[in-house]
Amino acid sequence: MGYIGIDLHTNRFTADFRREEEKIVTYHLTDIEKFIKSLNKDDYVFAEASVNTFAFMDRIKDYVKDVIVIDPFQFRVIADSGKKTDKIDARKIAKMGQYHIETGRDFLPEVYIPEVRIRKLRSLFTTYNLITKELTMTKNRIYSLYKEQLEPLDKFTFEELKENFEELDLSEEHRFQVRLLFDLVKMLEEKKEAIKQKILLLGEPYLADIDILVSVSGISVFMALGLIADYGTIERFKNAKEFSKYLRSTPRSEVSNEKVKNGRTYKSGRKLSMKLLLQGMNHFVGDNSHIARLYSRLKKGKGACKSRMATMRKLFVIIFFMLRNREYYRYMKKALHEKKMKEYESFLQKNKKIA
């Protein structure tokens, strides 16, 4: 049995082999086949999570006993060490990895390795969010150009601004910038829609989970796929608390003697679900009188932000039990649910050749 620590970089990696005969070797990524030949079926391989870690582990997982990805934000031994080189980092990862395995896998913060399709969904959502951010920045720049010329904006929607900006009293320099930025907005909106279509096409294998998730008012098929991209598989969560914590809705809690202090939410999980589902929270609250009362009561005492977070945590708990028990939302609107699923199935059927 061997324990191999990997310090992985963009173009090369350093491997520390902890076997009967210990050695440290640095490989170029193009020499990964040479590294694979040195592996045994009873080896454990450890590496910190980075952009290319999952792809690296995919290449070698069939040649070893197990591959383990470590969360670098929780595993602070490397970052906090004084002397730092590739060889030292690889050795520390290998030593800690050996201790982790020999003590029952409770020492290192392991990162869940999702299947390839989930990774593709996550990648697409990352680009989708980036384009959304660019759109917001571009539109804000257009608004600021109008404000510089003392043009009132309260009587125009963004679409009306596009239609009427030639008639407004703007300087030639401002008119040039606005025209250019409107073209950029159009291009970004087209690319955003193209990525959304790709995400929806990629979600076909998850129809069973989508069917359950969209039974909640306020959750569209697109939002459901964002949730699926985050949790991957519900079976890996022991309970609802672990699930909601991973989706960044559970606050840190410090208990000392009789004092309890609740802080900010944990940042070690995924934030996409929170970002997407907040957009449909009003529908969720409005269709459930129990949740509506909870939200109103919390808002009076805790304020809008904390009450929204508590409501989202309640929603994640509900979603966990829905997925684990394979059942629809208790307050489901059947007609709306059927409409969502029919539209999605029709979309998949229409675009099957593209997929």
Side-chain angles (χ1 to χ4, degrees), residues 231-263:
Y231 70 73
T233 172
I234 198 66
E235 287 75 23
R236 69 190 185 91
F237 297 99
K238 296 177 183 177
N239 50 49
K241 183 178 180 180
E242 189 176 294
F243 180 75
S244 58
K245 177 183 175 182
Y246 184 74
L247 298 181
R248 297 176 73 160
S249 64
T250 303
R252 295 177 182 273
S253 183
E254 297 178 5
V255 180
S256 178
N257 196 12
E258 296 180 356
K259 293 182 179 179
V260 179
K261 180 181 178 182
N262 292 322

PDB file of all heavy atoms in Angstrom, residues 231-263:
ATOM      1  N   TYR A 231     -25.746  20.107  -5.522  1.00  0.00           N
ATOM      2  CA  TYR A 231     -25.720  18.956  -4.612  1.00  0.00           C
ATOM      3  C   TYR A 231     -25.265  17.663  -5.282  1.00  0.00           C
ATOM      4  O   TYR A 231     -24.794  16.745  -4.607  1.00  0.00           O
ATOM      5  CB  TYR A 231     -27.073  18.779  -3.899  1.00  0.00           C
ATOM      6  CG  TYR A 231     -28.237  18.328  -4.742  1.00  0.00           C
ATOM      7  CD1 TYR A 231     -28.338  17.031  -5.208  1.00  0.00           C
ATOM      8  CD2 TYR A 231     -29.280  19.212  -5.049  1.00  0.00           C
ATOM      9  CE1 TYR A 231     -29.428  16.614  -5.965  1.00  0.00           C
ATOM     10  CE2 TYR A 231     -30.366  18.809  -5.806  1.00  0.00           C
ATOM     11  CZ  TYR A 231     -30.432  17.511  -6.255  1.00  0.00           C
ATOM     12  OH  TYR A 231     -31.515  17.092  -7.008  1.00  0.00           O
ATOM     13  N   GLY A 232     -25.379  17.556  -6.587  1.00  0.00           N
ATOM     14  CA  GLY A 232     -24.906  16.362  -7.289  1.00  0.00           C
ATOM     15  C   GLY A 232     -25.799  15.158  -7.074  1.00  0.00           C
ATOM     16  O   GLY A 232     -26.547  14.747  -7.942  1.00  0.00           O
ATOM     17  N   THR A 233     -25.722  14.587  -5.899  1.00  0.00           N
ATOM     18  CA  THR A 233     -26.581  13.461  -5.528  1.00  0.00           C
ATOM     19  C   THR A 233     -26.996  13.612  -4.071  1.00  0.00           C
ATOM     20  O   THR A 233     -26.154  13.897  -3.207  1.00  0.00           O
ATOM     21  CB  THR A 233     -25.867  12.110  -5.745  1.00  0.00           C
ATOM     22  OG1 THR A 233     -26.651  11.052  -5.203  1.00  0.00           O
ATOM     23  CG2 THR A 233     -24.490  12.098  -5.103  1.00  0.00           C
ATOM     24  N   ILE A 234     -28.266  13.428  -3.798  1.00  0.00           N
ATOM     25  CA  ILE A 234     -28.779  13.662  -2.442  1.00  0.00           C
ATOM     26  C   ILE A 234     -28.285  12.615  -1.457  1.00  0.00           C
ATOM     27  O   ILE A 234     -28.221  12.858  -0.246  1.00  0.00           O
ATOM     28  CB  ILE A 234     -30.339  13.700  -2.472  1.00  0.00           C
ATOM     29  CG1 ILE A 234     -30.891  14.376  -1.208  1.00  0.00           C
ATOM     30  CG2 ILE A 234     -30.913  12.316  -2.654  1.00  0.00           C
ATOM     31  CD1 ILE A 234     -30.564  15.829  -1.076  1.00  0.00           C
ATOM     32  N   GLU A 235     -27.902  11.434  -1.967  1.00  0.00           N
ATOM     33  CA  GLU A 235     -27.486  10.332  -1.090  1.00  0.00           C
ATOM     34  C   GLU A 235     -26.213  10.645  -0.301  1.00  0.00           C
ATOM     35  O   GLU A 235     -25.947   9.998   0.708  1.00  0.00           O
ATOM     36  CB  GLU A 235     -27.277   9.051  -1.917  1.00  0.00           C
ATOM     37  CG  GLU A 235     -28.550   8.388  -2.399  1.00  0.00           C
ATOM     38  CD  GLU A 235     -29.200   9.119  -3.551  1.00  0.00           C
ATOM     39  OE1 GLU A 235     -28.492   9.866  -4.255  1.00  0.00           O
ATOM     40  OE2 GLU A 235     -30.437   8.952  -3.743  1.00  0.00           O
ATOM     41  N   ARG A 236     -25.432  11.609  -0.749  1.00  0.00           N
ATOM     42  CA  ARG A 236     -24.171  11.878  -0.046  1.00  0.00           C
ATOM     43  C   ARG A 236     -24.342  12.737   1.207  1.00  0.00           C
ATOM     44  O   ARG A 236     -23.383  12.959   1.944  1.00  0.00           O
ATOM     45  CB  ARG A 236     -23.168  12.528  -0.998  1.00  0.00           C
ATOM     46  CG  ARG A 236     -23.499  13.953  -1.430  1.00  0.00           C
ATOM     47  CD  ARG A 236     -22.567  14.374  -2.561  1.00  0.00           C
ATOM     48  NE  ARG A 236     -22.745  15.761  -2.938  1.00  0.00           N
ATOM     49  CZ  ARG A 236     -22.061  16.781  -2.416  1.00  0.00           C
ATOM     50  NH1 ARG A 236     -21.147  16.559  -1.483  1.00  0.00           N
ATOM     51  NH2 ARG A 236     -22.273  18.017  -2.827  1.00  0.00           N
ATOM     52  N   PHE A 237     -25.567  13.207   1.456  1.00  0.00           N
ATOM     53  CA  PHE A 237     -25.828  14.022   2.640  1.00  0.00           C
ATOM     54  C   PHE A 237     -26.503  13.176   3.718  1.00  0.00           C
ATOM     55  O   PHE A 237     -27.495  12.485   3.444  1.00  0.00           O
ATOM     56  CB  PHE A 237     -26.707  15.223   2.292  1.00  0.00           C
ATOM     57  CG  PHE A 237     -26.069  16.171   1.320  1.00  0.00           C
ATOM     58  CD1 PHE A 237     -26.390  16.125  -0.033  1.00  0.00           C
ATOM     59  CD2 PHE A 237     -25.130  17.090   1.748  1.00  0.00           C
ATOM     60  CE1 PHE A 237     -25.803  16.984  -0.936  1.00  0.00           C
ATOM     61  CE2 PHE A 237     -24.533  17.970   0.844  1.00  0.00           C
ATOM     62  CZ  PHE A 237     -24.861  17.908  -0.504  1.00  0.00           C
ATOM     63  N   LYS A 238     -25.988  13.240   4.929  1.00  0.00           N
ATOM     64  CA  LYS A 238     -26.528  12.442   6.031  1.00  0.00           C
ATOM     65  C   LYS A 238     -27.879  12.955   6.500  1.00  0.00           C
ATOM     66  O   LYS A 238     -28.759  12.183   6.878  1.00  0.00           O
ATOM     67  CB  LYS A 238     -25.550  12.432   7.208  1.00  0.00           C
ATOM     68  CG  LYS A 238     -24.218  11.765   6.913  1.00  0.00           C
ATOM     69  CD  LYS A 238     -23.299  11.860   8.115  1.00  0.00           C
ATOM     70  CE  LYS A 238     -21.930  11.263   7.818  1.00  0.00           C
ATOM     71  NZ  LYS A 238     -21.013  11.410   8.968  1.00  0.00           N
ATOM     72  N   ASN A 239     -28.030  14.275   6.509  1.00  0.00           N
ATOM     73  CA  ASN A 239     -29.263  14.862   7.036  1.00  0.00           C
ATOM     74  C   ASN A 239     -29.509  16.229   6.406  1.00  0.00           C
ATOM     75  O   ASN A 239     -28.684  16.742   5.632  1.00  0.00           O
ATOM     76  CB  ASN A 239     -29.198  14.979   8.566  1.00  0.00           C
ATOM     77  CG  ASN A 239     -27.906  15.649   9.032  1.00  0.00           C
ATOM     78  OD1 ASN A 239     -27.524  16.698   8.528  1.00  0.00           O
ATOM     79  ND2 ASN A 239     -27.234  15.024   9.998  1.00  0.00           N
ATOM     80  N   ALA A 240     -30.647  16.828   6.766  1.00  0.00           N
ATOM     81  CA  ALA A 240     -31.037  18.121   6.189  1.00  0.00           C
ATOM     82  C   ALA A 240     -30.100  19.249   6.632  1.00  0.00           C
ATOM     83  O   ALA A 240     -29.851  20.187   5.869  1.00  0.00           O
ATOM     84  CB  ALA A 240     -32.473  18.446   6.596  1.00  0.00           C
ATOM     85  N   LYS A 241     -29.562  19.142   7.834  1.00  0.00           N
ATOM     86  CA  LYS A 241     -28.655  20.177   8.328  1.00  0.00           C
ATOM     87  C   LYS A 241     -27.384  20.229   7.486  1.00  0.00           C
ATOM     88  O   LYS A 241     -26.900  21.301   7.113  1.00  0.00           O
ATOM     89  CB  LYS A 241     -28.311  19.909   9.794  1.00  0.00           C
ATOM     90  CG  LYS A 241     -27.430  20.982  10.421  1.00  0.00           C
ATOM     91  CD  LYS A 241     -27.170  20.686  11.891  1.00  0.00           C
ATOM     92  CE  LYS A 241     -26.293  21.778  12.509  1.00  0.00           C
ATOM     93  NZ  LYS A 241     -26.034  21.518  13.946  1.00  0.00           N
ATOM     94  N   GLU A 242     -26.852  19.056   7.168  1.00  0.00           N
ATOM     95  CA  GLU A 242     -25.646  18.981   6.341  1.00  0.00           C
ATOM     96  C   GLU A 242     -25.926  19.514   4.934  1.00  0.00           C
ATOM     97  O   GLU A 242     -25.095  20.201   4.333  1.00  0.00           O
ATOM     98  CB  GLU A 242     -25.171  17.522   6.272  1.00  0.00           C
ATOM     99  CG  GLU A 242     -23.816  17.325   5.639  1.00  0.00           C
ATOM    100  CD  GLU A 242     -23.376  15.881   5.690  1.00  0.00           C
ATOM    101  OE1 GLU A 242     -23.140  15.373   6.796  1.00  0.00           O
ATOM    102  OE2 GLU A 242     -23.292  15.254   4.608  1.00  0.00           O
ATOM    103  N   PHE A 243     -27.112  19.203   4.429  1.00  0.00           N
ATOM    104  CA  PHE A 243     -27.519  19.653   3.097  1.00  0.00           C
ATOM    105  C   PHE A 243     -27.632  21.177   3.041  1.00  0.00           C
ATOM    106  O   PHE A 243     -27.084  21.821   2.144  1.00  0.00           O
ATOM    107  CB  PHE A 243     -28.854  19.003   2.731  1.00  0.00           C
ATOM    108  CG  PHE A 243     -29.410  19.373   1.386  1.00  0.00           C
ATOM    109  CD1 PHE A 243     -28.869  18.841   0.220  1.00  0.00           C
ATOM    110  CD2 PHE A 243     -30.481  20.249   1.275  1.00  0.00           C
ATOM    111  CE1 PHE A 243     -29.390  19.175  -1.028  1.00  0.00           C
ATOM    112  CE2 PHE A 243     -31.009  20.586   0.033  1.00  0.00           C
ATOM    113  CZ  PHE A 243     -30.455  20.053  -1.111  1.00  0.00           C
ATOM    114  N   SER A 244     -28.340  21.764   4.002  1.00  0.00           N
ATOM    115  CA  SER A 244     -28.538  23.219   4.005  1.00  0.00           C
ATOM    116  C   SER A 244     -27.233  23.959   4.311  1.00  0.00           C
ATOM    117  O   SER A 244     -27.010  25.063   3.805  1.00  0.00           O
ATOM    118  CB  SER A 244     -29.621  23.609   5.014  1.00  0.00           C
ATOM    119  OG  SER A 244     -29.292  23.164   6.313  1.00  0.00           O
ATOM    120  N   LYS A 245     -26.360  23.342   5.094  1.00  0.00           N
ATOM    121  CA  LYS A 245     -25.051  23.939   5.366  1.00  0.00           C
ATOM    122  C   LYS A 245     -24.219  23.989   4.095  1.00  0.00           C
ATOM    123  O   LYS A 245     -23.562  24.992   3.807  1.00  0.00           O
ATOM    124  CB  LYS A 245     -24.322  23.137   6.440  1.00  0.00           C
ATOM    125  CG  LYS A 245     -22.916  23.633   6.748  1.00  0.00           C
ATOM    126  CD  LYS A 245     -22.233  22.742   7.772  1.00  0.00           C
ATOM    127  CE  LYS A 245     -20.786  23.158   7.988  1.00  0.00           C
ATOM    128  NZ  LYS A 245     -20.088  22.273   8.947  1.00  0.00           N
ATOM    129  N   TYR A 246     -24.263  22.918   3.299  1.00  0.00           N
ATOM    130  CA  TYR A 246     -23.495  22.859   2.052  1.00  0.00           C
ATOM    131  C   TYR A 246     -23.982  23.910   1.058  1.00  0.00           C
ATOM    132  O   TYR A 246     -23.202  24.434   0.268  1.00  0.00           O
ATOM    133  CB  TYR A 246     -23.623  21.463   1.434  1.00  0.00           C
ATOM    134  CG  TYR A 246     -22.800  21.252   0.184  1.00  0.00           C
ATOM    135  CD1 TYR A 246     -21.417  21.093   0.262  1.00  0.00           C
ATOM    136  CD2 TYR A 246     -23.396  21.210  -1.070  1.00  0.00           C
ATOM    137  CE1 TYR A 246     -20.650  20.911  -0.882  1.00  0.00           C
ATOM    138  CE2 TYR A 246     -22.639  21.021  -2.222  1.00  0.00           C
ATOM    139  CZ  TYR A 246     -21.270  20.865  -2.117  1.00  0.00           C
ATOM    140  OH  TYR A 246     -20.515  20.678  -3.253  1.00  0.00           O
ATOM    141  N   LEU A 247     -25.279  24.242   1.129  1.00  0.00           N
ATOM    142  CA  LEU A 247     -25.841  25.255   0.247  1.00  0.00           C
ATOM    143  C   LEU A 247     -25.795  26.652   0.867  1.00  0.00           C
ATOM    144  O   LEU A 247     -26.512  27.561   0.455  1.00  0.00           O
ATOM    145  CB  LEU A 247     -27.280  24.881  -0.134  1.00  0.00           C
ATOM    146  CG  LEU A 247     -27.414  23.556  -0.898  1.00  0.00           C
ATOM    147  CD1 LEU A 247     -28.865  23.284  -1.243  1.00  0.00           C
ATOM    148  CD2 LEU A 247     -26.561  23.546  -2.148  1.00  0.00           C
ATOM    149  N   ARG A 248     -24.990  26.803   1.885  1.00  0.00           N
ATOM    150  CA  ARG A 248     -24.641  28.089   2.494  1.00  0.00           C
ATOM    151  C   ARG A 248     -25.832  28.852   3.062  1.00  0.00           C
ATOM    152  O   ARG A 248     -25.979  30.058   2.878  1.00  0.00           O
ATOM    153  CB  ARG A 248     -23.897  28.959   1.473  1.00  0.00           C
ATOM    154  CG  ARG A 248     -22.592  28.327   1.046  1.00  0.00           C
ATOM    155  CD  ARG A 248     -21.881  29.099  -0.028  1.00  0.00           C
ATOM    156  NE  ARG A 248     -21.295  30.335   0.494  1.00  0.00           N
ATOM    157  CZ  ARG A 248     -20.311  30.988  -0.121  1.00  0.00           C
ATOM    158  NH1 ARG A 248     -19.821  30.532  -1.241  1.00  0.00           N
ATOM    159  NH2 ARG A 248     -19.839  32.098   0.373  1.00  0.00           N
ATOM    160  N   SER A 249     -26.684  28.125   3.784  1.00  0.00           N
ATOM    161  CA  SER A 249     -27.823  28.795   4.421  1.00  0.00           C
ATOM    162  C   SER A 249     -27.824  28.610   5.938  1.00  0.00           C
ATOM    163  O   SER A 249     -28.739  29.080   6.604  1.00  0.00           O
ATOM    164  CB  SER A 249     -29.142  28.244   3.849  1.00  0.00           C
ATOM    165  OG  SER A 249     -29.290  26.875   4.156  1.00  0.00           O
ATOM    166  N   THR A 250     -26.815  27.933   6.475  1.00  0.00           N
ATOM    167  CA  THR A 250     -26.753  27.668   7.915  1.00  0.00           C
ATOM    168  C   THR A 250     -25.725  28.581   8.576  1.00  0.00           C
ATOM    169  O   THR A 250     -24.568  28.609   8.157  1.00  0.00           O
ATOM    170  CB  THR A 250     -26.366  26.204   8.183  1.00  0.00           C
ATOM    171  OG1 THR A 250     -27.303  25.351   7.529  1.00  0.00           O
ATOM    172  CG2 THR A 250     -26.355  25.908   9.675  1.00  0.00           C
ATOM    173  N   PRO A 251     -26.120  29.343   9.603  1.00  0.00           N
ATOM    174  CA  PRO A 251     -25.172  30.249  10.253  1.00  0.00           C
ATOM    175  C   PRO A 251     -24.219  29.506  11.186  1.00  0.00           C
ATOM    176  O   PRO A 251     -24.536  28.443  11.719  1.00  0.00           O
ATOM    177  CB  PRO A 251     -26.089  31.181  11.053  1.00  0.00           C
ATOM    178  CG  PRO A 251     -27.296  30.349  11.365  1.00  0.00           C
ATOM    179  CD  PRO A 251     -27.476  29.435  10.173  1.00  0.00           C
ATOM    180  N   ARG A 252     -23.036  30.071  11.341  1.00  0.00           N
ATOM    181  CA  ARG A 252     -22.094  29.534  12.327  1.00  0.00           C
ATOM    182  C   ARG A 252     -22.668  29.753  13.724  1.00  0.00           C
ATOM    183  O   ARG A 252     -23.272  30.789  14.001  1.00  0.00           O
ATOM    184  CB  ARG A 252     -20.751  30.242  12.227  1.00  0.00           C
ATOM    185  CG  ARG A 252     -20.036  29.998  10.909  1.00  0.00           C
ATOM    186  CD  ARG A 252     -18.753  30.799  10.855  1.00  0.00           C
ATOM    187  NE  ARG A 252     -18.068  30.614   9.586  1.00  0.00           N
ATOM    188  CZ  ARG A 252     -17.202  29.641   9.328  1.00  0.00           C
ATOM    189  NH1 ARG A 252     -16.913  28.767  10.291  1.00  0.00           N
ATOM    190  NH2 ARG A 252     -16.618  29.537   8.156  1.00  0.00           N
ATOM    191  N   SER A 253     -22.465  28.795  14.589  1.00  0.00           N
ATOM    192  CA  SER A 253     -22.992  28.907  15.949  1.00  0.00           C
ATOM    193  C   SER A 253     -21.881  28.634  16.959  1.00  0.00           C
ATOM    194  O   SER A 253     -21.196  27.611  16.882  1.00  0.00           O
ATOM    195  CB  SER A 253     -24.138  27.910  16.157  1.00  0.00           C
ATOM    196  OG  SER A 253     -24.694  28.051  17.441  1.00  0.00           O
ATOM    197  N   GLU A 254     -21.677  29.576  17.882  1.00  0.00           N
ATOM    198  CA  GLU A 254     -20.675  29.429  18.933  1.00  0.00           C
ATOM    199  C   GLU A 254     -21.388  29.336  20.281  1.00  0.00           C
ATOM    200  O   GLU A 254     -22.191  30.204  20.624  1.00  0.00           O
ATOM    201  CB  GLU A 254     -19.710  30.612  18.921  1.00  0.00           C
ATOM    202  CG  GLU A 254     -18.895  30.729  17.634  1.00  0.00           C
ATOM    203  CD  GLU A 254     -17.985  31.945  17.644  1.00  0.00           C
ATOM    204  OE1 GLU A 254     -17.932  32.640  18.698  1.00  0.00           O
ATOM    205  OE2 GLU A 254     -17.339  32.208  16.613  1.00  0.00           O
ATOM    206  N   VAL A 255     -21.098  28.271  21.010  1.00  0.00           N
ATOM    207  CA  VAL A 255     -21.735  28.051  22.302  1.00  0.00           C
ATOM    208  C   VAL A 255     -20.670  28.018  23.384  1.00  0.00           C
ATOM    209  O   VAL A 255     -19.716  27.242  23.307  1.00  0.00           O
ATOM    210  CB  VAL A 255     -22.533  26.725  22.313  1.00  0.00           C
ATOM    211  CG1 VAL A 255     -23.196  26.528  23.678  1.00  0.00           C
ATOM    212  CG2 VAL A 255     -23.560  26.707  21.199  1.00  0.00           C
ATOM    213  N   SER A 256     -20.796  28.874  24.382  1.00  0.00           N
ATOM    214  CA  SER A 256     -19.885  28.896  25.515  1.00  0.00           C
ATOM    215  C   SER A 256     -20.697  29.092  26.783  1.00  0.00           C
ATOM    216  O   SER A 256     -21.378  30.105  26.940  1.00  0.00           O
ATOM    217  CB  SER A 256     -18.867  30.038  25.350  1.00  0.00           C
ATOM    218  OG  SER A 256     -18.002  30.086  26.468  1.00  0.00           O
ATOM    219  N   ASN A 257     -20.651  28.083  27.669  1.00  0.00           N
ATOM    220  CA  ASN A 257     -21.454  28.077  28.883  1.00  0.00           C
ATOM    221  C   ASN A 257     -22.929  28.185  28.495  1.00  0.00           C
ATOM    222  O   ASN A 257     -23.473  27.320  27.817  1.00  0.00           O
ATOM    223  CB  ASN A 257     -21.013  29.208  29.815  1.00  0.00           C
ATOM    224  CG  ASN A 257     -21.529  29.021  31.225  1.00  0.00           C
ATOM    225  OD1 ASN A 257     -22.031  27.940  31.561  1.00  0.00           O
ATOM    226  ND2 ASN A 257     -21.424  30.042  32.055  1.00  0.00           N
ATOM    227  N   GLU A 258     -23.588  29.292  28.847  1.00  0.00           N
ATOM    228  CA  GLU A 258     -25.000  29.451  28.510  1.00  0.00           C
ATOM    229  C   GLU A 258     -25.207  30.470  27.389  1.00  0.00           C
ATOM    230  O   GLU A 258     -26.344  30.812  27.056  1.00  0.00           O
ATOM    231  CB  GLU A 258     -25.789  29.886  29.748  1.00  0.00           C
ATOM    232  CG  GLU A 258     -25.788  28.835  30.857  1.00  0.00           C
ATOM    233  CD  GLU A 258     -26.574  29.296  32.076  1.00  0.00           C
ATOM    234  OE1 GLU A 258     -27.040  30.461  32.051  1.00  0.00           O
ATOM    235  OE2 GLU A 258     -26.727  28.511  33.019  1.00  0.00           O
ATOM    236  N   LYS A 259     -24.097  30.933  26.803  1.00  0.00           N
ATOM    237  CA  LYS A 259     -24.195  31.926  25.738  1.00  0.00           C
ATOM    238  C   LYS A 259     -24.147  31.247  24.375  1.00  0.00           C
ATOM    239  O   LYS A 259     -23.311  30.394  24.116  1.00  0.00           O
ATOM    240  CB  LYS A 259     -23.047  32.937  25.850  1.00  0.00           C
ATOM    241  CG  LYS A 259     -23.125  33.810  27.098  1.00  0.00           C
ATOM    242  CD  LYS A 259     -21.996  34.820  27.109  1.00  0.00           C
ATOM    243  CE  LYS A 259     -22.091  35.728  28.349  1.00  0.00           C
ATOM    244  NZ  LYS A 259     -20.973  36.717  28.380  1.00  0.00           N
ATOM    245  N   VAL A 260     -25.059  31.653  23.517  1.00  0.00           N
ATOM    246  CA  VAL A 260     -25.106  31.143  22.146  1.00  0.00           C
ATOM    247  C   VAL A 260     -25.007  32.330  21.194  1.00  0.00           C
ATOM    248  O   VAL A 260     -25.783  33.277  21.282  1.00  0.00           O
ATOM    249  CB  VAL A 260     -26.413  30.367  21.868  1.00  0.00           C
ATOM    250  CG1 VAL A 260     -26.428  29.887  20.416  1.00  0.00           C
ATOM    251  CG2 VAL A 260     -26.557  29.189  22.821  1.00  0.00           C
ATOM    252  N   LYS A 261     -24.015  32.268  20.299  1.00  0.00           N
ATOM    253  CA  LYS A 261     -23.817  33.360  19.357  1.00  0.00           C
ATOM    254  C   LYS A 261     -23.902  32.816  17.933  1.00  0.00           C
ATOM    255  O   LYS A 261     -23.147  31.928  17.549  1.00  0.00           O
ATOM    256  CB  LYS A 261     -22.447  34.012  19.569  1.00  0.00           C
ATOM    257  CG  LYS A 261     -22.173  35.168  18.625  1.00  0.00           C
ATOM    258  CD  LYS A 261     -20.787  35.756  18.863  1.00  0.00           C
ATOM    259  CE  LYS A 261     -20.502  36.876  17.869  1.00  0.00           C
ATOM    260  NZ  LYS A 261     -19.134  37.435  18.063  1.00  0.00           N
ATOM    261  N   ASN A 262     -24.838  33.333  17.155  1.00  0.00           N
ATOM    262  CA  ASN A 262     -24.983  32.941  15.755  1.00  0.00           C
ATOM    263  C   ASN A 262     -24.312  33.975  14.869  1.00  0.00           C
ATOM    264  O   ASN A 262     -24.552  35.175  15.010  1.00  0.00           O
ATOM    265  CB  ASN A 262     -26.462  32.820  15.372  1.00  0.00           C
ATOM    266  CG  ASN A 262     -27.127  31.642  16.068  1.00  0.00           C
ATOM    267  OD1 ASN A 262     -26.526  30.583  16.233  1.00  0.00           O
ATOM    268  ND2 ASN A 262     -28.364  31.833  16.490  1.00  0.00           N
ATOM    269  N   GLY A 263     -23.471  33.509  13.975  1.00  0.00           N
ATOM    270  CA  GLY A 263     -22.729  34.414  13.100  1.00  0.00           C
ATOM    271  C   GLY A 263     -23.155  34.301  11.655  1.00  0.00           C
ATOM    272  O   GLY A 263     -24.301  33.948  11.350  1.00  0.00           O
TER     273      GLY A 263
END
